[in-house]
Amino acid sequence: MQSIVSKGKTIQEAIETGLNLLEVSKDEVNIEIIQQESKSFFKMKSKAAIVKLTKLEQKPIQKQESEENQIDVDPFEVINDWIDNIPDSKSMPEFLTVEQENELKQDEWTKPQSESLTGNAWVKNGVLLCECSPTRFPMVTIPDGVKVYRNNQIIQERTFVMTEKDEYKIQLESEEKETSWELVMDPQKLHVELHIEPGYKITRSLCDTEPAQHIDLVIEERKEVQNTLSYEDVVNKLADLGVKHGFHQGEIIKATEASEPVVFTIASGIEAIPGKDGYIELKINTKTENKLKENEDGRVDYREFKTIPNVEVGTVIAILHPPIPGKPGRTVTNEPIPPKQAAHVFVKIGRGITVVDNKIIAIKSGRPYFEERGNIVKFSVMPKLIHQGNVDLSSGNIRFMGDVEITGEVCERMKVEAEGNIVVHKSVNMASLTASGAVVVSGNIVSSEITAGKNNIVVAEVGNLLEPINKDLIRIIQIMKQLMSSPGFKANDLSRNGLQPLIKLLLEKKFSTFPALIKQYVKTVKKGENYLTDKIWMETAASLSKLFLSLSKEVISIEWIMELSKKLQELHELSQMPVEPNSYIVIPNALNSRLYCSGDVKVTEQGSVNTKIVAGGKLNIKGALRGGEVFGQLGAKVNEAGSESRTPTLISVPRDQKIYIDTAMDGTSIKIGNAQYNFIETRKHIIAYLDKNEKISFE
Amino acid sequence: MIDFLLKETADENLIVLFNGDLDIDSTEVVEEELLPAIENYKLVNINFENVPFVDSSGMGLLLTIVQSLKAKGVKVTISQVNEDVQFIFEMLQIPEILGEDTFI
């Protein structure tokens, strides 16, 4: 019995589809509903109706009907008729004998009429064919990129049931893409790249498929590359871009032959070879800092400090290597590329030094001194003064243009000033030590003021003042220029009286705060005069004062002011540069004192009590910090901060630095940038930093 | 070089009509002729309609006129300043120096 299962949106539709497939009418089948259709909102879960149609043994029914209709017909005749009809097997394939079937199977499948192909589909010469049997309908699966039309209507399902009576059309799309290409020149005009994507044509054909009950349509793709790029195209485009230099002919030809998207460098310029900066080659060891080493107990052996390297007259301290200029390059458009300029090193000659043929030579014996700030290096030879015994009323204050070593104490109200380092073997009590270099004291520091790297401190101070001054000065220049080009402004008095009347007008209101800034700068420079070895600070102070404070009658041009502004800018930048090597302070203990240093400060023993410390470098207190305020520009490390009696103790660092405290007691405050944190109970192993929200956090 | 014309109004105030550039060459004229002539009025208006150019010395001079008259109790106003000159006055903040109510 032949039966099929059929689907539809409604039961009615499902039955009709089934009947169509079976090519029978409704009353020739038995209908069994397998699934009712169901709908829900938005068709999200709608189910198809499914029915099973079973073909009824129609003939007997027909006979019966005919019997009923023609009662008068002889039943024997009817049977005879029926028997006569038996050999007519064509109309009733079910009655084929096994023998016949075998015969048919031996036939070639290419014969679509062949009986063995019933219920199969196949593809021959690009045509989809099928033969249905009443019991089997072939299934065909459609691959991606292929459209199959049944009676000019596209089939949406992936797999469909094929019938003989419908007309099927298969649409195979072919693709075609044109060659695309472009030239890309880098901003430096050093390389031209050719990006090419060759065009192609893809043709698809349907492959032959053996007959089967279920076939997949198989598509064959043929891709044909069509690279239409010509050598002339590229050359013309290169000419448009102005490329004149450094072609790679071979690469262009390769590009015209390319079969895949690819990038060719078809022209290259010549890169400039950067110059080599000038540099200083030191011939002696100038680092005394390394001589002060901690032993295993973490204590510093101060006696080691005496082993400062000394130079004799005539020793070559360093060799100045001039910069080696670079070589210019060439762009693909044939323009020269200037090389990076090689920087010069400027040597400043201090005391006891001379330069002969790029060689820096000591002309005095003493400790060689070398300092680097930006591209300026300073050399000098520091003579040394050794003061035996104490510095007191009988010895008087000591001022020396070099290193000073004191074997005794520095007593009450005495002063020691040195352009080099100061070393004191015993204690410093109610005294003041000021050095441009380092300060090392082996004894206790009590109620004293110690300054190391004084020159650097002063330079930083005056340098900072220059920033707002120059900002205003630049604006003044701008306004002057703007005025001079204004239609209502007559500039002829400027050549007679100079800029002073105009400056006076500007200072009247617009820059009324400017003179105060200059006054402060002039004052600060004067105060630090002894430590500002470079005369340029005093010169700029004098120029600014003449121009904006005394308003002298001297004729001054705008160019002169611009020149001054440039000088201020350079000085400010110079003052912001790190100094190498920087100075430092190393002491065992400090009590009620003040320590200023442009570099590191190290307190190596019991610690610091009620002392103010400002370190331009790192601050390291090996012992306790009880009371006072300490600051470390490059971070602070304290073993124990605060005290049982909750003495106020403040440790501060800039916002980008960390504070390390092993034990912080109640009363200790830390400040990072502008954020402050107060400890209200003892806390251990602290590493504090400023987090993204500008709040103090602990690691 | 500046020239000026004095015009007394009905209510015994003075109008000064400037004519020419207010520049460095005007110093003598202003200091020696103009100032003595106007310091006895209560209210002086300086008309800038015919002043096409100023220079820095001229502006300095203007400040001197207004400020010294003010010290003597004379109120000075300035009017009809042409656009180019006004631009320069503003760049140098002269209205702020003299008081905004000076310019009418």
Side-chain angles (χ1 to χ4, degrees):
Chain A
M1 243 191 302
Q2 193 182 2
S3 67
I4 65 161
V5 172
S6 157
K7 251 190 208 178
K9 277 185 194 154
T10 61
I11 294 203
Q12 195 57 37
E13 201 182 303
I15 293 170
E16 265 163 33
T17 311
L19 290 174
N20 271 337
L21 288 168
L22 287 173
E23 293 176 51
V24 291
S25 64
K26 203 173 181 178
D27 44 24
E28 284 172 280
V29 289
N30 181 20
I31 300 167
E32 190 185 329
I33 296 168
I34 294 172
Q35 182 178 279
Q36 284 271 12
E37 84 268 20
S38 65
K39 276 184 189 159
S40 63
F41 279 118
F42 309 115
K43 298 189 176 175
M44 295 290 284
K45 288 178 183 168
S46 59
K47 278 183 183 166
I50 301 172
V51 294
K52 187 177 180 186
L53 303 184
T54 309
K55 210 169 175 183
L56 297 171
E57 303 279 4
Q58 70 217 62
K59 294 281 176 180
I61 295 168
Q62 270 174 351
K63 287 286 180 262
Q64 267 181 341
E65 277 172 0
S66 60
E67 270 169 14
E68 280 161 19
N69 294 341
Q70 304 164 330
I71 304 161
D72 53 339
V73 175
D74 184 355
F76 285 102
E77 267 181 42
V78 174
I79 292 166
N80 280 340
D81 279 352
W82 188 61
I83 291 165
D84 287 345
N85 282 334
I86 292 171
D88 192 6
S89 57
K90 285 253 155 77
S91 63
M92 300 174 86
E94 311 95 317
F95 294 130
L96 278 174
T97 62
V98 174
E99 225 175 52
Q100 278 171 312
E101 267 185 29
N102 287 344
E103 240 177 67
L104 285 167
K105 272 183 188 159
Q106 282 158 7
D107 280 353
E108 275 184 37
W109 59 270
T110 46
K111 286 180 187 165
Q113 296 83 2
S114 166
E115 300 285 344
S116 69
L117 299 172
T118 51
N120 285 353
W122 65 93
V123 176
K124 176 75 182 166
N125 296 331
V127 184
L128 175 63
L129 298 164
C130 79
E131 187 165 317
C132 304
S133 81
T135 53
R136 246 182 4 167
F137 280 81
M139 310 287 281
V140 179
T141 300
I142 310 169
D144 287 336
V146 179
K147 286 174 180 160
V148 180
Y149 294 87
R150 178 194 287 135
N151 303 329
N152 292 326
Q153 204 141 24
I154 192 159
I155 297 175
Q156 301 288 356
E157 302 92 15
R158 249 188 102 72
T159 301
F160 67 96
V161 173
M162 194 175 171
T163 60
E164 268 172 288
K165 69 180 170 84
D166 293 306
E167 190 195 332
Y168 293 91
K169 240 196 271 169
I170 295 170
Q171 196 185 352
L172 299 168
E173 278 162 6
S174 62
E175 264 178 61
E176 203 166 348
K177 199 173 166 285
E178 281 184 27
T179 302
S180 68
W181 62 284
E182 61 169 339
L183 294 187
V184 179
M185 184 148 70
D186 62 348
Q188 290 79 36
K189 297 187 179 175
L190 270 171
H191 299 285
V192 180
E193 284 179 347
L194 169 57
H195 295 244
I196 176 157
E197 269 187 59
Y200 54 80
K201 192 178 177 183
I202 294 174
T203 45
R204 296 192 173 93
S205 58
L206 198 56
C207 298
D208 287 351
T209 312
E210 301 255 340
Q213 204 269 323
H214 186 168
I215 61 163
D216 288 327
L217 294 179
V218 180
I219 302 301
E220 191 188 38
E221 265 189 15
R222 261 198 20 249
K223 186 173 177 179
E224 210 179 315
V225 174
Q226 294 173 328
N227 184 347
T228 56
L229 178 69
S230 75
Y231 186 82
E232 285 70 31
D233 289 342
V234 179
V235 170
N236 290 340
K237 188 81 191 191
L238 283 171
D240 287 351
L241 287 173
V243 179
K244 292 173 188 152
H245 175 83
F247 299 112
H248 304 308
Q249 313 283 358
E251 296 293 296
I252 303 177
I253 291 165
K254 271 191 208 164
T256 62
E257 291 164 355
S259 58
E260 278 170 42
V262 68
V263 176
F264 292 98
T265 300
I266 56 164
S268 316
I270 302 162
E271 270 183 70
I273 299 164
K276 197 170 176 241
D277 291 350
Y279 65 101
I280 296 282
E281 184 191 346
L282 285 178
K283 290 303 211 188
I284 45 115
N285 179 17
T286 54
K287 284 193 179 164
T288 52
E289 198 173 357
N290 296 341
K291 294 286 165 190
L292 264 182
K293 280 197 179 127
E294 289 166 27
N295 62 18
E296 285 142 14
D297 316 332
R299 287 173 67 125
V300 173
D301 187 349
Y302 289 91
R303 281 164 301 189
E304 283 299 314
F305 193 71
K306 288 175 197 163
T307 55
I308 300 167
N310 264 323
V311 289
E312 298 303 319
V313 177
T315 308
V316 176
I317 294 174
I319 297 170
L320 171 64
H321 293 274
I324 299 163
K327 277 191 187 142
R330 198 152 277 279
T331 65
V332 287
T333 52
N334 210 20
E335 293 157 46
I337 305 172
K340 182 190 154 280
Q341 284 298 313
H344 273 271
V345 174
F346 297 97
V347 173
K348 283 223 158 180
I349 304 299
R351 239 181 299 282
I353 292 286
T354 190
V355 176
V356 180
D357 295 340
N358 285 343
K359 288 187 176 68
I360 289 131
I361 297 168
I363 47 173
K364 272 184 185 163
S365 301
R367 177 175 68 91
Y369 177 75
F370 160 77
E371 181 195 282
E372 212 170 352
R373 189 193 276 274
N375 60 348
I376 297 172
V377 290
K378 202 171 120 185
F379 286 98
S380 50
V381 173
M382 292 282 178
K384 188 167 183 179
L385 173 78
I386 298 184
H387 179 82
Q388 299 289 351
N390 295 348
V391 176
D392 52 22
L393 284 175
S394 63
S395 73
N397 293 335
I398 294 179
R399 280 193 191 85
F400 188 68
M401 300 294 194
D403 294 342
V404 175
E405 186 170 344
I406 295 155
T407 59
E409 289 176 21
V410 182
C411 302
E412 288 87 350
R413 283 182 287 280
M414 299 311 292
K415 278 184 189 166
V416 179
E417 286 174 28
E419 208 170 278
N421 301 332
I422 297 178
V423 177
V424 181
H425 289 238
K426 290 185 178 161
S427 64
V428 178
N429 194 1
M430 292 175 70
S432 125
L433 309 181
T434 307
S436 283
V439 175
V440 176
V441 181
S442 311
N444 294 326
I445 311 287
V446 181
S447 303
S448 297
E449 187 166 322
I450 295 180
T451 310
K454 174 73 179 179
N455 54 340
N456 297 331
I457 294 172
V458 175
V459 166
E461 200 180 347
V462 292
N464 281 339
L465 290 174
L466 281 182
E467 199 185 12
I469 290 177
N470 198 33
K471 236 183 193 166
D472 273 358
L473 197 57
I474 288 167
R475 278 182 59 215
I476 287 175
I477 293 167
Q478 276 171 353
I479 287 181
M480 284 179 171
K481 282 184 175 168
Q482 203 180 347
L483 269 178
M484 285 174 194
S485 59
S486 299
F489 188 76
K490 236 173 134 172
N492 54 2
D493 70 322
L494 299 180
S495 53
R496 275 157 60 186
N497 273 9
L499 290 167
Q500 275 72 14
L502 186 54
I503 290 170
K504 207 175 150 194
L505 283 172
L506 286 165
L507 297 183
E508 187 86 34
K509 187 87 195 176
K510 200 151 187 139
F511 296 95
S512 52
T513 56
F514 191 54
L517 289 175
I518 291 170
K519 266 181 206 157
Q520 198 191 348
Y521 174 70
V522 172
K523 207 173 116 192
T524 312
V525 168
K526 201 161 174 68
K527 216 174 97 191
E529 204 165 3
N530 292 335
Y531 297 96
L532 292 166
T533 45
D534 201 332
K535 290 281 165 278
I536 190 159
W537 298 100
M538 278 64 93
E539 283 163 18
T540 49
S543 297
L544 285 168
S545 170
K546 184 174 78 180
L547 199 52
F548 296 104
L549 298 182
S550 60
L551 296 169
S552 78
K553 287 277 179 211
E554 196 182 322
V555 175
I556 282 159
S557 67
I558 192 159
E559 286 74 26
W560 192 87
I561 302 180
M562 282 159 73
E563 197 61 40
L564 178 63
S565 165
K566 211 174 122 195
K567 228 185 267 178
L568 299 189
Q569 177 70 26
E570 282 169 11
L571 274 178
H572 171 68
E573 279 168 14
L574 188 73
S575 73
Q576 300 299 306
M577 282 188 192
V579 183
E580 204 50 55
N582 211 327
S583 66
Y584 54 94
I585 292 179
V586 181
I587 51 164
N589 304 297
L591 171 68
N592 297 332
S593 296
R594 283 185 290 175
L595 313 179
Y596 301 94
C597 182
S598 63
D600 299 349
V601 174
K602 210 170 198 177
V603 182
T604 58
E605 285 169 26
Q606 288 91 328
S608 151
V609 179
N610 281 331
T611 292
K612 182 174 180 178
I613 304 177
V614 178
K618 289 182 191 132
L619 171 67
N620 188 350
I621 297 173
K622 291 259 174 187
L625 171 68
R626 307 209 192 282
E629 287 173 20
V630 297
F631 171 81
Q633 178 80 36
L634 299 178
K637 207 167 172 180
V638 176
N639 186 39
E640 195 182 303
S643 67
E644 299 292 346
S645 55
R646 301 168 62 189
T647 322
T649 306
L650 176 69
I651 303 164
S652 55
V653 293
R655 52 198 304 284
D656 56 341
Q657 296 297 334
K658 290 181 180 174
I659 295 177
Y660 299 79
I661 309 172
D662 201 54
T663 309
M665 287 193 246
D666 185 6
T668 305
S669 301
I670 56 173
K671 196 172 168 190
I672 303 177
N674 287 324
Q676 188 160 340
Y677 181 90
N678 304 321
F679 291 92
I680 45 169
E681 56 185 4
T682 301
R683 207 169 149 166
K684 295 225 168 211
H685 313 301
I686 293 156
I687 302 173
Y689 65 99
L690 206 59
D691 66 14
K692 281 180 213 142
N693 306 321
E694 302 280 311
K695 279 195 166 163
I696 290 176
S697 294
F698 299 98
E699 274 178 16
Chain B
M1 175 79 167
I2 203 133
D3 237 351
F4 63 88
L5 208 75
L6 300 180
K7 218 162 87 183
E8 210 168 308
T9 61
D11 47 1
E12 296 193 352
N13 291 331
L14 189 72
I15 293 174
V16 182
L17 287 164
F18 270 169
N19 188 17
D21 300 344
L22 183 61
D23 58 12
I24 186 168
D25 300 316
S26 315
T27 317
E28 245 172 73
V29 182
V30 169
E31 285 182 351
E32 288 172 21
E33 297 175 30
L34 180 67
L35 270 179
I38 62 176
E39 61 187 26
N40 293 322
Y41 289 89
K42 279 245 151 59
L43 197 67
V44 176
N45 173 261
I46 305 174
N47 188 308
F48 262 72
E49 195 181 358
N50 294 319
V51 180
F53 300 104
V54 291
D55 70 4
S56 41
S57 306
M59 282 181 278
L61 207 53
L62 182 66
L63 299 192
T64 316
I65 301 172
V66 178
Q67 281 159 350
S68 66
L69 287 177
K70 235 180 211 172
K72 286 181 176 140
V74 183
K75 182 163 169 49
V76 185
T77 57
I78 296 167
S79 60
Q80 287 183 286
V81 182
N82 88 34
E83 211 176 295
D84 290 343
V85 173
Q86 185 65 27
F87 175 77
I88 289 161
F89 281 180
E90 287 190 353
M91 207 187 311
L92 292 167
Q93 295 182 339
I94 285 176
E96 282 164 56
I97 300 168
L98 297 179
E100 296 285 356
D101 57 341
T102 309
F103 285 80
I104 53 169

